[in-house]
Amino acid sequence: MKPALALTYGFPDGALARLAAHPDASGRIATHDLYQLAGLDLAGFGSLLVSMHSDQRFLASRAAQIAAFLHNGGTVVANGHLAYPFLPGMTGVHPLQNYALEDLAVRRLTDHPIWAGVSESDLTFRRGVAGFYGRGWHQPPDSATVVHALGTPDRPLDFIYRVGKGRVLFHGGNDLWQYGG
């Protein structure tokens, strides 16, 4: 199996680097600085891990490279509020306006193994506070499978969709890997 490529963004000891350094990830996740993307041959990687803290303007400049990676069978796991869409079929974030607690409630629309055993409440609240998991939504491509929505089913938060032979797992909030453990 090809390793994942975690695109770091100027913090060599940040969350993605810590994820890659975890003993369970040994040999399964490589890290490269985001700004090295143009010079990387992505054929050696099975997936790209993109943090919500990544430079989206730079990623948008590499959109064709990312689309080619997807069309050839790669997987992209991307997080955050898109201001500069860099993924095929994606548009910008729709921030919640004048929201109440029920608007921040994470609603599971489809079961998925990634979230097996994780309750909607655990996604909604962190240390008793709602909104860390997501505060906005994105319009997914028509072919997407929506896993979670924010407040109501018409505000997709987590979804998966195909691009060529590849696929995108998109989470419209804080990095998924920060929730492990």
Side-chain angles (χ1 to χ4, degrees):
M1 179 190 309
K2 295 178 183 179
L5 172 58
L7 295 173
T8 60
Y9 44 89
F11 297 98
D13 59 347
L16 276 171
R18 288 191 308 274
L19 176 68
H22 191 280
D24 290 343
S26 180
R28 297 170 60 192
I29 302 175
T31 60
H32 283 281
D33 189 87
L34 170 71
Y35 299 107
Q36 296 175 345
L37 185 59
L40 291 175
D41 178 8
L42 298 181
F45 300 100
S47 58
L48 294 178
L49 306 178
V50 181
S51 170
M52 74 171 292
H53 301 290
S54 297
D55 179 345
Q56 292 181 18
R57 281 190 257 192
F58 177 78
L59 287 169
S61 78
R62 304 304 314 153
Q65 181 185 16
I66 294 167
F69 174 73
L70 286 162
H71 281 286
N72 290 325
T75 297
V76 174
V77 178
N79 301 269
H81 305 140
L82 290 186
Y84 298 91
F86 57 89
L87 296 167
M90 289 291 295
T91 60
V93 64
H94 299 275
L96 292 179
Q97 302 292 323
N98 303 314
Y99 55 84
L101 178 59
E102 58 269 11
D103 297 314
L104 297 173
V106 177
R107 305 289 180 212
R108 181 159 296 136
L109 305 181
T110 305
D111 288 331
H112 192 280
I114 290 174
W115 292 274
V118 180
S119 73
E120 294 171 27
S121 178
D122 286 341
L123 296 175
T124 300
F125 296 101
R126 185 168 184 172
R127 297 184 191 112
V129 178
F132 285 100
Y133 193 75
R135 290 187 186 196
W137 58 278
H138 292 78
Q139 184 63 49
D142 290 339
S143 63
T145 299
V146 178
V147 179
H148 295 112
L150 203 52
T152 61
D154 62 335
R155 295 192 300 234
L157 181 60
D158 297 317
F159 48 88
I160 300 168
Y161 66 100
R162 305 242 13 123
V163 177
K165 296 177 189 172
R167 62 192 169 178
V168 172
L169 165 60
F170 184 79
H171 168 63
N174 289 321
D175 293 339
L176 287 174
W177 36 83
Q178 79 175 9
Y179 294 97

PDB file of all heavy atoms in Angstrom, residues 6-42:
ATOM      1  N   ALA A   6       1.132  13.727   4.107  1.00  0.00           N
ATOM      2  CA  ALA A   6       0.603  14.787   4.960  1.00  0.00           C
ATOM      3  C   ALA A   6       1.309  16.077   4.582  1.00  0.00           C
ATOM      4  O   ALA A   6       2.535  16.184   4.688  1.00  0.00           O
ATOM      5  CB  ALA A   6       0.841  14.452   6.431  1.00  0.00           C
ATOM      6  N   LEU A   7       0.530  17.039   4.110  1.00  0.00           N
ATOM      7  CA  LEU A   7       1.093  18.322   3.699  1.00  0.00           C
ATOM      8  C   LEU A   7       1.184  19.236   4.921  1.00  0.00           C
ATOM      9  O   LEU A   7       0.176  19.728   5.415  1.00  0.00           O
ATOM     10  CB  LEU A   7       0.218  18.957   2.616  1.00  0.00           C
ATOM     11  CG  LEU A   7       0.162  18.183   1.296  1.00  0.00           C
ATOM     12  CD1 LEU A   7      -0.865  18.811   0.359  1.00  0.00           C
ATOM     13  CD2 LEU A   7       1.535  18.115   0.636  1.00  0.00           C
ATOM     14  N   THR A   8       2.400  19.436   5.391  1.00  0.00           N
ATOM     15  CA  THR A   8       2.606  20.317   6.536  1.00  0.00           C
ATOM     16  C   THR A   8       2.655  21.756   6.034  1.00  0.00           C
ATOM     17  O   THR A   8       2.770  22.009   4.834  1.00  0.00           O
ATOM     18  CB  THR A   8       3.882  19.948   7.306  1.00  0.00           C
ATOM     19  OG1 THR A   8       5.008  20.057   6.427  1.00  0.00           O
ATOM     20  CG2 THR A   8       3.793  18.533   7.856  1.00  0.00           C
ATOM     21  N   TYR A   9       2.585  22.697   6.931  1.00  0.00           N
ATOM     22  CA  TYR A   9       2.416  24.084   6.519  1.00  0.00           C
ATOM     23  C   TYR A   9       3.236  25.026   7.392  1.00  0.00           C
ATOM     24  O   TYR A   9       2.725  25.997   7.937  1.00  0.00           O
ATOM     25  CB  TYR A   9       0.934  24.470   6.546  1.00  0.00           C
ATOM     26  CG  TYR A   9       0.227  23.973   7.791  1.00  0.00           C
ATOM     27  CD1 TYR A   9       0.174  24.743   8.951  1.00  0.00           C
ATOM     28  CD2 TYR A   9      -0.334  22.703   7.819  1.00  0.00           C
ATOM     29  CE1 TYR A   9      -0.425  24.275  10.093  1.00  0.00           C
ATOM     30  CE2 TYR A   9      -0.943  22.223   8.962  1.00  0.00           C
ATOM     31  CZ  TYR A   9      -0.989  23.022  10.092  1.00  0.00           C
ATOM     32  OH  TYR A   9      -1.589  22.538  11.233  1.00  0.00           O
ATOM     33  N   GLY A  10       4.516  24.731   7.527  1.00  0.00           N
ATOM     34  CA  GLY A  10       5.400  25.624   8.251  1.00  0.00           C
ATOM     35  C   GLY A  10       5.611  25.285   9.706  1.00  0.00           C
ATOM     36  O   GLY A  10       6.351  25.961  10.394  1.00  0.00           O
ATOM     37  N   PHE A  11       4.941  24.248  10.198  1.00  0.00           N
ATOM     38  CA  PHE A  11       5.110  23.835  11.588  1.00  0.00           C
ATOM     39  C   PHE A  11       5.605  22.393  11.601  1.00  0.00           C
ATOM     40  O   PHE A  11       4.811  21.457  11.600  1.00  0.00           O
ATOM     41  CB  PHE A  11       3.786  23.944  12.359  1.00  0.00           C
ATOM     42  CG  PHE A  11       3.265  25.345  12.438  1.00  0.00           C
ATOM     43  CD1 PHE A  11       2.284  25.783  11.555  1.00  0.00           C
ATOM     44  CD2 PHE A  11       3.773  26.233  13.369  1.00  0.00           C
ATOM     45  CE1 PHE A  11       1.813  27.083  11.604  1.00  0.00           C
ATOM     46  CE2 PHE A  11       3.302  27.540  13.424  1.00  0.00           C
ATOM     47  CZ  PHE A  11       2.323  27.959  12.541  1.00  0.00           C
ATOM     48  N   PRO A  12       6.922  22.194  11.597  1.00  0.00           N
ATOM     49  CA  PRO A  12       7.446  20.827  11.499  1.00  0.00           C
ATOM     50  C   PRO A  12       7.046  19.923  12.661  1.00  0.00           C
ATOM     51  O   PRO A  12       7.118  18.708  12.546  1.00  0.00           O
ATOM     52  CB  PRO A  12       8.963  21.024  11.439  1.00  0.00           C
ATOM     53  CG  PRO A  12       9.213  22.400  11.931  1.00  0.00           C
ATOM     54  CD  PRO A  12       7.971  23.201  11.688  1.00  0.00           C
ATOM     55  N   ASP A  13       6.577  20.506  13.758  1.00  0.00           N
ATOM     56  CA  ASP A  13       6.136  19.688  14.892  1.00  0.00           C
ATOM     57  C   ASP A  13       4.628  19.826  15.110  1.00  0.00           C
ATOM     58  O   ASP A  13       4.116  19.527  16.178  1.00  0.00           O
ATOM     59  CB  ASP A  13       6.889  20.074  16.159  1.00  0.00           C
ATOM     60  CG  ASP A  13       6.706  21.551  16.541  1.00  0.00           C
ATOM     61  OD1 ASP A  13       6.210  22.325  15.694  1.00  0.00           O
ATOM     62  OD2 ASP A  13       7.054  21.909  17.666  1.00  0.00           O
ATOM     63  N   GLY A  14       3.899  20.256  14.085  1.00  0.00           N
ATOM     64  CA  GLY A  14       2.458  20.443  14.183  1.00  0.00           C
ATOM     65  C   GLY A  14       1.694  19.131  14.228  1.00  0.00           C
ATOM     66  O   GLY A  14       2.267  18.035  14.272  1.00  0.00           O
ATOM     67  N   ALA A  15       0.378  19.235  14.199  1.00  0.00           N
ATOM     68  CA  ALA A  15      -0.506  18.076  14.366  1.00  0.00           C
ATOM     69  C   ALA A  15      -0.278  17.006  13.297  1.00  0.00           C
ATOM     70  O   ALA A  15      -0.282  15.810  13.609  1.00  0.00           O
ATOM     71  CB  ALA A  15      -1.960  18.519  14.359  1.00  0.00           C
ATOM     72  N   LEU A  16      -0.058  17.398  12.051  1.00  0.00           N
ATOM     73  CA  LEU A  16       0.168  16.400  11.006  1.00  0.00           C
ATOM     74  C   LEU A  16       1.494  15.678  11.203  1.00  0.00           C
ATOM     75  O   LEU A  16       1.584  14.470  11.001  1.00  0.00           O
ATOM     76  CB  LEU A  16       0.125  17.048   9.622  1.00  0.00           C
ATOM     77  CG  LEU A  16      -1.262  17.221   9.035  1.00  0.00           C
ATOM     78  CD1 LEU A  16      -1.210  18.066   7.775  1.00  0.00           C
ATOM     79  CD2 LEU A  16      -1.899  15.887   8.744  1.00  0.00           C
ATOM     80  N   ALA A  17       2.507  16.408  11.611  1.00  0.00           N
ATOM     81  CA  ALA A  17       3.799  15.773  11.877  1.00  0.00           C
ATOM     82  C   ALA A  17       3.688  14.810  13.057  1.00  0.00           C
ATOM     83  O   ALA A  17       4.265  13.715  13.034  1.00  0.00           O
ATOM     84  CB  ALA A  17       4.864  16.831  12.145  1.00  0.00           C
ATOM     85  N   ARG A  18       2.929  15.201  14.084  1.00  0.00           N
ATOM     86  CA  ARG A  18       2.734  14.303  15.233  1.00  0.00           C
ATOM     87  C   ARG A  18       1.951  13.060  14.816  1.00  0.00           C
ATOM     88  O   ARG A  18       2.245  11.958  15.259  1.00  0.00           O
ATOM     89  CB  ARG A  18       2.035  15.035  16.377  1.00  0.00           C
ATOM     90  CG  ARG A  18       2.926  16.042  17.080  1.00  0.00           C
ATOM     91  CD  ARG A  18       2.329  16.566  18.380  1.00  0.00           C
ATOM     92  NE  ARG A  18       0.984  17.086  18.249  1.00  0.00           N
ATOM     93  CZ  ARG A  18       0.685  18.333  17.902  1.00  0.00           C
ATOM     94  NH1 ARG A  18       1.655  19.194  17.642  1.00  0.00           N
ATOM     95  NH2 ARG A  18      -0.565  18.730  17.817  1.00  0.00           N
ATOM     96  N   LEU A  19       0.957  13.246  13.949  1.00  0.00           N
ATOM     97  CA  LEU A  19       0.201  12.108  13.441  1.00  0.00           C
ATOM     98  C   LEU A  19       1.125  11.155  12.684  1.00  0.00           C
ATOM     99  O   LEU A  19       1.107   9.941  12.904  1.00  0.00           O
ATOM    100  CB  LEU A  19      -0.923  12.585  12.521  1.00  0.00           C
ATOM    101  CG  LEU A  19      -1.758  11.511  11.816  1.00  0.00           C
ATOM    102  CD1 LEU A  19      -2.600  10.742  12.833  1.00  0.00           C
ATOM    103  CD2 LEU A  19      -2.647  12.143  10.764  1.00  0.00           C
ATOM    104  N   ALA A  20       1.965  11.692  11.820  1.00  0.00           N
ATOM    105  CA  ALA A  20       2.889  10.865  11.039  1.00  0.00           C
ATOM    106  C   ALA A  20       3.919  10.176  11.926  1.00  0.00           C
ATOM    107  O   ALA A  20       4.376   9.077  11.604  1.00  0.00           O
ATOM    108  CB  ALA A  20       3.584  11.716   9.981  1.00  0.00           C
ATOM    109  N   ALA A  21       4.274  10.808  13.053  1.00  0.00           N
ATOM    110  CA  ALA A  21       5.280  10.237  13.954  1.00  0.00           C
ATOM    111  C   ALA A  21       4.712   9.193  14.909  1.00  0.00           C
ATOM    112  O   ALA A  21       5.473   8.488  15.581  1.00  0.00           O
ATOM    113  CB  ALA A  21       5.934  11.355  14.760  1.00  0.00           C
ATOM    114  N   HIS A  22       3.411   9.062  14.963  1.00  0.00           N
ATOM    115  CA  HIS A  22       2.795   8.080  15.866  1.00  0.00           C
ATOM    116  C   HIS A  22       3.254   6.677  15.466  1.00  0.00           C
ATOM    117  O   HIS A  22       3.335   6.356  14.278  1.00  0.00           O
ATOM    118  CB  HIS A  22       1.270   8.190  15.799  1.00  0.00           C
ATOM    119  CG  HIS A  22       0.579   7.424  16.874  1.00  0.00           C
ATOM    120  ND1 HIS A  22       0.375   6.067  16.802  1.00  0.00           N
ATOM    121  CD2 HIS A  22       0.066   7.824  18.055  1.00  0.00           C
ATOM    122  CE1 HIS A  22      -0.242   5.656  17.885  1.00  0.00           C
ATOM    123  NE2 HIS A  22      -0.442   6.716  18.668  1.00  0.00           N
ATOM    124  N   PRO A  23       3.566   5.810  16.439  1.00  0.00           N
ATOM    125  CA  PRO A  23       4.043   4.462  16.119  1.00  0.00           C
ATOM    126  C   PRO A  23       3.100   3.674  15.195  1.00  0.00           C
ATOM    127  O   PRO A  23       3.568   2.920  14.344  1.00  0.00           O
ATOM    128  CB  PRO A  23       4.160   3.782  17.493  1.00  0.00           C
ATOM    129  CG  PRO A  23       4.334   4.905  18.451  1.00  0.00           C
ATOM    130  CD  PRO A  23       3.581   6.070  17.890  1.00  0.00           C
ATOM    131  N   ASP A  24       1.811   3.874  15.319  1.00  0.00           N
ATOM    132  CA  ASP A  24       0.857   3.165  14.449  1.00  0.00           C
ATOM    133  C   ASP A  24       0.931   3.639  13.003  1.00  0.00           C
ATOM    134  O   ASP A  24       0.445   2.960  12.103  1.00  0.00           O
ATOM    135  CB  ASP A  24      -0.581   3.332  14.959  1.00  0.00           C
ATOM    136  CG  ASP A  24      -0.831   2.583  16.256  1.00  0.00           C
ATOM    137  OD1 ASP A  24      -0.031   1.684  16.596  1.00  0.00           O
ATOM    138  OD2 ASP A  24      -1.822   2.909  16.933  1.00  0.00           O
ATOM    139  N   ALA A  25       1.522   4.802  12.771  1.00  0.00           N
ATOM    140  CA  ALA A  25       1.614   5.361  11.421  1.00  0.00           C
ATOM    141  C   ALA A  25       2.966   5.092  10.770  1.00  0.00           C
ATOM    142  O   ALA A  25       3.189   5.501   9.632  1.00  0.00           O
ATOM    143  CB  ALA A  25       1.353   6.863  11.459  1.00  0.00           C
ATOM    144  N   SER A  26       3.835   4.385  11.447  1.00  0.00           N
ATOM    145  CA  SER A  26       5.184   4.141  10.949  1.00  0.00           C
ATOM    146  C   SER A  26       5.163   3.577   9.528  1.00  0.00           C
ATOM    147  O   SER A  26       4.562   2.537   9.264  1.00  0.00           O
ATOM    148  CB  SER A  26       5.919   3.176  11.882  1.00  0.00           C
ATOM    149  OG  SER A  26       7.216   2.934  11.398  1.00  0.00           O
ATOM    150  N   GLY A  27       5.788   4.317   8.610  1.00  0.00           N
ATOM    151  CA  GLY A  27       5.853   3.899   7.215  1.00  0.00           C
ATOM    152  C   GLY A  27       4.571   4.119   6.433  1.00  0.00           C
ATOM    153  O   GLY A  27       4.529   3.853   5.232  1.00  0.00           O
ATOM    154  N   ARG A  28       3.537   4.609   7.091  1.00  0.00           N
ATOM    155  CA  ARG A  28       2.243   4.777   6.423  1.00  0.00           C
ATOM    156  C   ARG A  28       1.928   6.223   6.077  1.00  0.00           C
ATOM    157  O   ARG A  28       1.044   6.487   5.277  1.00  0.00           O
ATOM    158  CB  ARG A  28       1.133   4.205   7.301  1.00  0.00           C
ATOM    159  CG  ARG A  28       1.303   2.696   7.504  1.00  0.00           C
ATOM    160  CD  ARG A  28       0.389   2.124   8.540  1.00  0.00           C
ATOM    161  NE  ARG A  28      -1.001   2.341   8.190  1.00  0.00           N
ATOM    162  CZ  ARG A  28      -2.008   2.145   9.027  1.00  0.00           C
ATOM    163  NH1 ARG A  28      -1.792   1.733  10.254  1.00  0.00           N
ATOM    164  NH2 ARG A  28      -3.251   2.356   8.645  1.00  0.00           N
ATOM    165  N   ILE A  29       2.648   7.178   6.697  1.00  0.00           N
ATOM    166  CA  ILE A  29       2.422   8.595   6.432  1.00  0.00           C
ATOM    167  C   ILE A  29       3.769   9.291   6.274  1.00  0.00           C
ATOM    168  O   ILE A  29       4.616   9.221   7.157  1.00  0.00           O
ATOM    169  CB  ILE A  29       1.629   9.279   7.572  1.00  0.00           C
ATOM    170  CG1 ILE A  29       0.289   8.601   7.796  1.00  0.00           C
ATOM    171  CG2 ILE A  29       1.434  10.762   7.268  1.00  0.00           C
ATOM    172  CD1 ILE A  29      -0.491   9.152   8.984  1.00  0.00           C
ATOM    173  N   ALA A  30       3.954   9.937   5.133  1.00  0.00           N
ATOM    174  CA  ALA A  30       5.131  10.768   4.893  1.00  0.00           C
ATOM    175  C   ALA A  30       4.699  12.228   5.016  1.00  0.00           C
ATOM    176  O   ALA A  30       3.528  12.559   4.796  1.00  0.00           O
ATOM    177  CB  ALA A  30       5.680  10.507   3.493  1.00  0.00           C
ATOM    178  N   THR A  31       5.620  13.092   5.363  1.00  0.00           N
ATOM    179  CA  THR A  31       5.309  14.521   5.445  1.00  0.00           C
ATOM    180  C   THR A  31       6.196  15.300   4.484  1.00  0.00           C
ATOM    181  O   THR A  31       7.364  14.952   4.274  1.00  0.00           O
ATOM    182  CB  THR A  31       5.503  15.075   6.871  1.00  0.00           C
ATOM    183  OG1 THR A  31       6.863  14.880   7.261  1.00  0.00           O
ATOM    184  CG2 THR A  31       4.581  14.394   7.868  1.00  0.00           C
ATOM    185  N   HIS A  32       5.614  16.304   3.894  1.00  0.00           N
ATOM    186  CA  HIS A  32       6.345  17.272   3.069  1.00  0.00           C
ATOM    187  C   HIS A  32       5.688  18.622   3.283  1.00  0.00           C
ATOM    188  O   HIS A  32       4.467  18.701   3.455  1.00  0.00           O
ATOM    189  CB  HIS A  32       6.286  16.915   1.574  1.00  0.00           C
ATOM    190  CG  HIS A  32       7.187  15.803   1.183  1.00  0.00           C
ATOM    191  ND1 HIS A  32       8.540  15.960   0.976  1.00  0.00           N
ATOM    192  CD2 HIS A  32       6.931  14.501   0.959  1.00  0.00           C
ATOM    193  CE1 HIS A  32       9.070  14.810   0.638  1.00  0.00           C
ATOM    194  NE2 HIS A  32       8.115  13.900   0.627  1.00  0.00           N
ATOM    195  N   ASP A  33       6.489  19.653   3.237  1.00  0.00           N
ATOM    196  CA  ASP A  33       5.934  20.988   3.335  1.00  0.00           C
ATOM    197  C   ASP A  33       5.029  21.247   2.131  1.00  0.00           C
ATOM    198  O   ASP A  33       5.335  20.861   1.004  1.00  0.00           O
ATOM    199  CB  ASP A  33       7.063  22.032   3.379  1.00  0.00           C
ATOM    200  CG  ASP A  33       6.522  23.399   3.695  1.00  0.00           C
ATOM    201  OD1 ASP A  33       6.385  23.735   4.889  1.00  0.00           O
ATOM    202  OD2 ASP A  33       6.209  24.137   2.734  1.00  0.00           O
ATOM    203  N   LEU A  34       3.925  21.878   2.392  1.00  0.00           N
ATOM    204  CA  LEU A  34       2.935  22.203   1.370  1.00  0.00           C
ATOM    205  C   LEU A  34       3.566  22.848   0.143  1.00  0.00           C
ATOM    206  O   LEU A  34       3.207  22.529  -0.995  1.00  0.00           O
ATOM    207  CB  LEU A  34       1.895  23.140   1.992  1.00  0.00           C
ATOM    208  CG  LEU A  34       0.885  23.799   1.094  1.00  0.00           C
ATOM    209  CD1 LEU A  34      -0.099  22.761   0.589  1.00  0.00           C
ATOM    210  CD2 LEU A  34       0.152  24.883   1.857  1.00  0.00           C
ATOM    211  N   TYR A  35       4.514  23.738   0.352  1.00  0.00           N
ATOM    212  CA  TYR A  35       5.093  24.493  -0.751  1.00  0.00           C
ATOM    213  C   TYR A  35       6.039  23.660  -1.607  1.00  0.00           C
ATOM    214  O   TYR A  35       6.532  24.133  -2.631  1.00  0.00           O
ATOM    215  CB  TYR A  35       5.765  25.757  -0.226  1.00  0.00           C
ATOM    216  CG  TYR A  35       4.754  26.645   0.471  1.00  0.00           C
ATOM    217  CD1 TYR A  35       4.751  26.770   1.857  1.00  0.00           C
ATOM    218  CD2 TYR A  35       3.762  27.304  -0.253  1.00  0.00           C
ATOM    219  CE1 TYR A  35       3.799  27.552   2.494  1.00  0.00           C
ATOM    220  CE2 TYR A  35       2.809  28.081   0.371  1.00  0.00           C
ATOM    221  CZ  TYR A  35       2.830  28.204   1.753  1.00  0.00           C
ATOM    222  OH  TYR A  35       1.878  28.966   2.375  1.00  0.00           O
ATOM    223  N   GLN A  36       6.268  22.402  -1.240  1.00  0.00           N
ATOM    224  CA  GLN A  36       7.028  21.464  -2.068  1.00  0.00           C
ATOM    225  C   GLN A  36       6.125  20.707  -3.033  1.00  0.00           C
ATOM    226  O   GLN A  36       6.603  19.944  -3.867  1.00  0.00           O
ATOM    227  CB  GLN A  36       7.774  20.456  -1.186  1.00  0.00           C
ATOM    228  CG  GLN A  36       8.829  21.065  -0.309  1.00  0.00           C
ATOM    229  CD  GLN A  36       9.448  20.038   0.638  1.00  0.00           C
ATOM    230  OE1 GLN A  36       8.922  18.952   0.837  1.00  0.00           O
ATOM    231  NE2 GLN A  36      10.581  20.397   1.213  1.00  0.00           N
ATOM    232  N   LEU A  37       4.824  20.908  -2.937  1.00  0.00           N
ATOM    233  CA  LEU A  37       3.856  20.134  -3.715  1.00  0.00           C
ATOM    234  C   LEU A  37       4.141  20.175  -5.207  1.00  0.00           C
ATOM    235  O   LEU A  37       4.072  19.146  -5.886  1.00  0.00           O
ATOM    236  CB  LEU A  37       2.434  20.629  -3.421  1.00  0.00           C
ATOM    237  CG  LEU A  37       1.289  19.860  -4.057  1.00  0.00           C
ATOM    238  CD1 LEU A  37       1.299  18.393  -3.618  1.00  0.00           C
ATOM    239  CD2 LEU A  37      -0.054  20.496  -3.675  1.00  0.00           C
ATOM    240  N   ALA A  38       4.478  21.327  -5.737  1.00  0.00           N
ATOM    241  CA  ALA A  38       4.715  21.456  -7.179  1.00  0.00           C
ATOM    242  C   ALA A  38       5.818  20.515  -7.666  1.00  0.00           C
ATOM    243  O   ALA A  38       5.752  20.012  -8.784  1.00  0.00           O
ATOM    244  CB  ALA A  38       5.050  22.897  -7.536  1.00  0.00           C
ATOM    245  N   GLY A  39       6.800  20.247  -6.832  1.00  0.00           N
ATOM    246  CA  GLY A  39       7.919  19.397  -7.231  1.00  0.00           C
ATOM    247  C   GLY A  39       7.776  17.936  -6.861  1.00  0.00           C
ATOM    248  O   GLY A  39       8.689  17.149  -7.115  1.00  0.00           O
ATOM    249  N   LEU A  40       6.648  17.569  -6.275  1.00  0.00           N
ATOM    250  CA  LEU A  40       6.467  16.183  -5.837  1.00  0.00           C
ATOM    251  C   LEU A  40       5.755  15.343  -6.890  1.00  0.00           C
ATOM    252  O   LEU A  40       4.805  15.801  -7.515  1.00  0.00           O
ATOM    253  CB  LEU A  40       5.639  16.140  -4.549  1.00  0.00           C
ATOM    254  CG  LEU A  40       6.305  16.689  -3.299  1.00  0.00           C
ATOM    255  CD1 LEU A  40       5.310  16.679  -2.133  1.00  0.00           C
ATOM    256  CD2 LEU A  40       7.536  15.877  -2.943  1.00  0.00           C
ATOM    257  N   ASP A  41       6.227  14.114  -7.050  1.00  0.00           N
ATOM    258  CA  ASP A  41       5.533  13.134  -7.894  1.00  0.00           C
ATOM    259  C   ASP A  41       4.525  12.431  -6.993  1.00  0.00           C
ATOM    260  O   ASP A  41       4.895  11.616  -6.158  1.00  0.00           O
ATOM    261  CB  ASP A  41       6.523  12.143  -8.489  1.00  0.00           C
ATOM    262  CG  ASP A  41       5.850  11.084  -9.336  1.00  0.00           C
ATOM    263  OD1 ASP A  41       4.624  11.173  -9.600  1.00  0.00           O
ATOM    264  OD2 ASP A  41       6.562  10.148  -9.756  1.00  0.00           O
ATOM    265  N   LEU A  42       3.264  12.754  -7.170  1.00  0.00           N
ATOM    266  CA  LEU A  42       2.222  12.213  -6.295  1.00  0.00           C
ATOM    267  C   LEU A  42       1.892  10.751  -6.582  1.00  0.00           C
ATOM    268  O   LEU A  42       1.160  10.127  -5.811  1.00  0.00           O
ATOM    269  CB  LEU A  42       0.966  13.077  -6.387  1.00  0.00           C
ATOM    270  CG  LEU A  42       1.142  14.530  -5.943  1.00  0.00           C
ATOM    271  CD1 LEU A  42      -0.185  15.287  -6.048  1.00  0.00           C
ATOM    272  CD2 LEU A  42       1.696  14.603  -4.526  1.00  0.00           C
TER     273      LEU A  42
END
